Amino acid sequence: MKVDEHLLQLPHISLKSRELLPEKSGIYYVLDEQLIIWYIGQAKNLQSRWSGNNHHRLYQLQKQRKKQFTIYYEFVPELQLDAIERQRIEQFNPQLNRTKVKEQKLHPTETLLRETLVLIAPYSFVLGVESPRKEDPKLIEDSINLRDGWRVQKAVLPLRVIHICINLNQLGEALKDNDWHSLCLFLRKVFRKRNNYSDNWACKGTIKDEYSGIFYLRRLLVNGFAIEVYVTNKETAELIQDYELTQLAGVNIRAVNEASLAVIKNKCQLRITGIYIYSDNQNQPYDEYRRRVTERLFPYKEDLLKLFFNENLNTRRKDSRSDFENRKMGNMLLSLH
């Protein structure tokens, strides 16, 4: 049923911007662009009710890909929520209120991380761990001034950051193809968006840019940590003399030892497209800033990420050190879709 004029005078916000809803109790109305009411509900805290992917009708609404939904809301005292909600449902008879909830099986973000690690760990290593960026006001200031605000987004600032490097030379050997564009194509498939996970890898860059053959830094926020993944070339990887076998989220992976990390911190800089050797001829502020980022790292020695769900992984290969030497794996990995 369509709305009346009174309802249209209520404050409202786009479904895509639902995190901006107020933290107050009230009745909410979900309308499409034709002003048809799809759902009416109540909440003691409107913002919390719609935060993230928590709402039980969100999946149904998101499946309507051609619809643009807006949440209208009115503030109502908690003691009156039940009565007014019933009145509004009887008055407007929204189409979803009397239908069965269709749920999507959502996997936790930690499962996405573990499945990604299983695919890239044979060709990757943990470079190090970075202290929360909120502790470094100078880093925040430089990031903003040098237009690298993505590095200091609000959600990332309080978290420790675990840095992972993908060795392009080793990955190219496994895929039997060192072509840069082919490597980027493979990595895009690994980090592609998955609709049945509670979160996805964020990308510093655009898909359009990546089709030109650039792999941008990826980030995933999971269980109190930020995981950042980027690439490194053969020249930089050769600076690393030794690794230690450890785990991240329960998945076997190598970590740069303390001595090699010291060399990296002294000679390399971290860009959004990877970590590279720092040239003495580079004296621009941005180059010094990128080098300073690597200097904040300290060694990764043990599995820091606690698992809360520990789901069985849906993968077609086992996580083992022998896979690192298995060149036939490349053809199978390219079949990912």
Side-chain angles (χ1 to χ4, degrees):
M1 178 176 177
K2 287 195 174 184
V3 301
D4 57 23
E5 289 299 323
H6 171 72
L7 198 153
L8 291 177
Q9 301 303 314
L10 296 175
H12 53 275
I13 199 162
S14 168
L15 179 66
K16 295 180 179 179
S17 302
R18 57 191 179 276
E19 72 278 1
L20 300 178
L21 284 164
E23 296 184 83
K24 294 184 178 181
S25 62
I27 304 295
Y28 56 84
Y29 311 79
V30 181
L31 280 63
D32 65 16
E33 69 280 4
Q34 296 180 343
L35 302 182
I36 295 175
I37 303 178
W38 283 64
Y39 189 76
I40 295 176
Q42 61 160 288
K44 295 180 180 179
N45 184 316
L46 291 165
Q47 184 182 98
S48 297
R49 185 69 185 89
W50 284 95
S51 65
N53 297 318
N54 290 336
H55 198 282
H56 65 293
R57 295 287 181 173
L58 184 61
Y59 176 60
Q60 286 175 291
L61 296 169
Q62 290 178 334
K63 290 293 287 183
Q64 308 297 321
R65 302 189 186 280
K66 295 182 179 181
K67 295 290 184 181
Q68 299 295 322
F69 290 107
T70 302
I71 303 173
Y72 286 73
Y73 56 91
E74 60 180 326
F75 299 128
V76 174
E78 290 187 22
L79 293 177
Q80 299 179 26
L81 286 174
D82 289 340
I84 294 182
E85 180 190 32
R86 285 194 298 270
Q87 288 179 5
R88 300 293 190 261
I89 292 174
E90 288 297 327
Q91 178 182 357
F92 294 108
N93 192 27
Q95 53 186 313
L96 288 185
N97 280 81
R98 303 188 188 280
T99 63
K100 183 179 179 180
V101 177
K102 295 181 179 180
E103 296 183 352
Q104 180 187 33
K105 170 62 176 175
L106 286 178
H107 296 286
T109 307
E110 69 178 37
T111 301
L112 174 60
L113 171 63
R114 295 174 66 215
E115 290 180 352
T116 303
L117 288 175
V118 166
L119 293 173
I120 68 171
Y123 327 103
S124 305
F125 53 88
V126 179
L127 181 63
V129 185
E130 182 183 355
S131 299
R133 291 167 183 168
K134 71 175 184 179
E135 300 174 358
D136 192 337
K138 176 62 173 172
L139 176 69
I140 297 174
E141 179 183 359
D142 289 345
S143 297
I144 295 173
N145 291 339
L146 295 172
R147 298 182 180 180
D148 195 11
W150 197 76
R151 195 183 299 277
V152 292
Q153 287 180 328
K154 184 176 180 180
V156 179
L157 286 177
L159 307 178
R160 282 185 289 174
V161 183
I162 299 175
H163 292 254
I164 299 175
C165 287
I166 300 174
N167 187 324
L168 289 178
N169 186 58
Q170 292 176 337
L171 176 58
E173 290 178 359
L175 299 178
K176 297 182 180 180
D177 188 350
N178 274 302
D179 176 69
W180 176 245
H181 183 75
S182 298
L183 293 178
C184 286
L185 179 62
F186 164 74
L187 292 173
R188 280 201 303 271
K189 291 180 179 179
V190 171
F191 291 95
R192 71 194 184 279
K193 183 177 180 180
R194 296 168 172 84
N195 293 327
N196 58 334
Y197 289 81
S198 56
D199 200 1
N200 271 277
W201 290 94
C203 177
K204 174 57 178 176
T206 67
I207 296 298
K208 181 179 179 181
D209 291 335
E210 285 196 333
Y211 274 100
S212 65
I214 301 173
F215 179 79
Y216 284 100
L217 183 149
R218 293 300 204 283
R219 177 191 290 151
L220 189 67
L221 307 183
V222 51
N223 297 2
F225 286 85
I227 313 297
E228 293 189 348
V229 181
Y230 37 87
V231 297
T232 187
N233 56 20
K234 181 179 180 181
E235 183 183 23
T236 304
E238 286 177 346
L239 295 175
I240 302 171
Q241 298 301 310
D242 202 4
Y243 300 92
E244 297 178 358
L245 183 60
T246 182
Q247 288 190 332
L248 174 57
V251 178
N252 290 341
I253 191 169
R254 299 172 299 165
V256 174
N257 69 359
E258 191 167 354
S260 293
L261 178 59
V263 175
I264 291 289
K265 292 166 67 173
N266 184 53
K267 295 187 176 182
C268 297
Q269 60 173 230
L270 178 58
R271 310 174 189 173
I272 60 172
T273 54
I275 187 165
Y276 301 96
I277 292 179
Y278 180 85
S279 172
D280 292 335
N281 296 325
Q282 295 172 310
N283 296 312
Q284 298 299 318
Y286 194 60
D287 294 304
E288 290 292 344
Y289 158 73
R290 292 184 296 196
R291 183 177 181 180
R292 184 165 172 268
V293 173
T294 64
E295 293 174 349
R296 302 187 73 248
L297 301 178
F298 58 90
Y300 181 92
K301 296 183 177 181
E302 61 183 355
D303 196 342
L304 298 175
L305 200 147
K306 180 180 179 180
L307 297 178
F308 295 104
F309 299 93
N310 201 19
E311 287 188 334
N312 292 326
L313 299 185
N314 180 19
T315 180
R316 287 176 289 174
R317 77 169 185 80
K318 296 181 181 180
D319 177 38
S320 64
R321 292 291 288 169
S322 62
D323 289 331
F324 183 73
E325 302 296 334
N326 188 356
R327 298 302 184 241
K328 295 181 181 180
M329 186 61 66
N331 291 332
M332 186 198 68
L333 291 175
L334 281 174
S335 68
L336 282 172
H337 56 79

